[in-house]
Amino acid sequence: MNSRIVKFLLFLVLFSLVLSGCHYFSAKKEIANADKLYSDMKGMGGEKLVPYQYCSAEKFLEISRIEFDSNDFKTAEGFAKRSISASEAGLAEIQKKK
């Protein structure tokens, strides 16, 4: 094989590893943030006060964890962000009601 081809293939492999590693850590961070916000909403009685946001945050977080376990880190990060958004909306509604 030509040395240029070997170098190119090696570069491609390393580049793909770096990209997958970036999504791994950002997805893990977003899932942790989503879990914290969901727990906060649950602790404030979100299940009864804001059932739509509570259920949305719970299911998005659940799907995010499933995707993370399936090594689909980019999709897991997206669902974690949606869970965060639902939790933040729920917490805002709870604050308005109190």
Side-chain angles (χ1 to χ4, degrees):
M1 256 196 188
N2 189 355
S3 68
R4 290 180 102 184
I5 294 172
V6 172
K7 287 180 184 178
F8 178 74
L9 291 175
L10 182 62
F11 173 76
L12 241 111
V13 168
L14 291 175
F15 185 71
S16 66
L17 288 174
V18 168
L19 284 181
S20 67
C22 292
H23 285 296
Y24 172 83
F25 292 111
S26 62
K28 193 168 184 133
K29 178 184 168 195
E30 291 297 326
I31 289 171
N33 290 341
D35 191 39
K36 183 191 178 311
L37 287 172
Y38 171 74
S39 295
D40 290 348
M41 184 171 51
K42 187 176 185 177
M44 295 177 79
E47 188 173 6
K48 292 182 181 174
L49 295 173
V50 286
Y52 177 76
Q53 290 87 351
Y54 179 84
C55 185
S56 296
E58 179 183 40
K59 294 305 173 188
F60 285 138
L61 182 58
E62 182 180 322
I63 294 169
S64 178
R65 288 182 176 143
I66 291 170
E67 293 297 324
F68 188 84
D69 291 341
S70 298
N71 295 327
D72 191 355
F73 305 122
K74 188 174 183 179
T75 305
E77 181 182 2
F79 279 110
K81 286 180 180 179
R82 292 177 79 177
S83 176
I84 289 171
S85 178
S87 293
E88 288 173 342
L91 289 169
E93 284 295 316
I94 290 171
Q95 292 298 325
K96 286 181 187 176
K97 291 180 179 183
K98 288 189 174 187

